[in-house]
């Protein structure tokens, strides 16, 4: 159970919201943790952070698009 929770958390941390430096800093904590419930709590927090990052990215991209080339055509 613990190894599975570690693997799942590492997969979540591979999201672009997390820098390589943050992943490196997290690795000792992941490796030392023996509580699957704690690893799953960290995974939930990481998922929430990655979702917030994606929402911010989408909002930035929507602002960069500017007005439609043809107002009657919705992209």
């Amino acid at each position: 159970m613990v190894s599975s929770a570690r693997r799942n958390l590492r997969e979540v941390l591979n999201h672009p919201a997390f820098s390589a430096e943050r992943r490196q800093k997290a690795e000792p904590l992941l490796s030392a943790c023996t509580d699957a419930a704690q690893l799953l709590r960290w995974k939930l927090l990481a998922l929430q952070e990655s979702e917030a990052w994606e929402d911010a990215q989408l909002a930035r991209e929507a602002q960069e698009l500017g007005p439609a080339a043809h107002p009657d055509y919705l992209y």
Side-chain angles (χ1 to χ4, degrees):
M1 182 75 156
V2 172
S3 62
S4 175
R6 273 194 198 110
R7 183 176 56 251
N8 289 333
L9 179 52
R10 284 183 180 118
E11 288 174 7
V12 172
L13 292 176
N14 279 325
H15 190 277
F18 304 101
S19 66
E21 180 182 358
R22 284 185 73 193
R23 285 191 291 275
Q24 288 172 347
K25 287 181 179 181
E27 188 56 40
L29 293 171
L30 291 166
S31 298
C33 185
T34 58
D35 181 10
Q38 179 62 51
L39 290 165
L40 293 174
R41 283 190 292 273
W42 288 341
K43 177 186 171 187
L44 176 62
L45 291 172
L47 283 171
Q48 290 172 343
E49 186 173 339
S50 65
E51 288 173 358
W53 181 89
E54 288 178 6
D55 290 343
Q57 286 291 106
L58 289 172
R60 269 193 296 279
E61 289 173 8
Q63 289 177 347
E64 291 173 3
L65 287 177
H70 189 283
D72 294 331
Y73 185 78
L74 300 176
Y75 290 97

